[in-house]
Amino acid sequence: MSDPNSQKIPDDIAKMSFEEALKELEQIVEKLDSGQVDLDQSIEIYTRGSHLKQHCDAKLRNAQERVDKIVGRNGALSTEPADIE
């Protein structure tokens, strides 16, 4: 079985905003936690959830890089790591 984290993110997920992807990921977690899905469906939605997580992580990294690039101090631009954790 291949690692879902090593697969290309599907185009429909790549087009999602962070908020859309996070909302769908939360729905997947609820379905899996409910125990109401069969094994095949669990594997399918787990894989999709993995792709959604990768997409959200990439969006957060991109946002952090943008914040790191633009930090104003006394009118001068400087770089400072963002503390997002």
Side-chain angles (χ1 to χ4, degrees):
M1 185 191 284
S2 63
D3 179 5
N5 291 321
S6 66
Q7 297 175 5
K8 181 182 180 296
I9 294 175
D11 290 340
D12 67 319
I13 292 176
K15 293 176 184 176
M16 289 181 169
S17 69
F18 174 82
E19 292 78 11
E20 292 168 331
L22 184 59
K23 182 177 180 179
E24 185 175 340
L25 183 57
E26 289 170 345
Q27 291 169 348
I28 286 173
V29 170
E30 287 177 18
K31 282 182 185 177
L32 291 171
D33 282 347
S34 75
Q36 301 288 327
V37 291
D38 63 28
L39 180 60
D40 288 338
Q41 186 182 17
S42 293
I43 292 169
E44 182 180 315
I45 63 176
Y46 176 85
T47 300
R48 184 160 177 87
S50 176
H51 290 137
L52 289 162
K53 181 187 175 301
Q54 283 181 295
H55 180 64
C56 287
D57 287 346
K59 289 278 192 184
L60 286 175
R61 277 192 307 275
N62 181 270
Q64 181 174 358
E65 289 170 4
R66 291 172 63 193
V67 169
D68 287 349
K69 287 180 183 177
I70 304 171
V71 175
R73 286 197 178 170
N74 299 327
L77 292 178
S78 64
T79 301
E80 178 180 299
D83 183 15
I84 61 171
E85 292 185 36

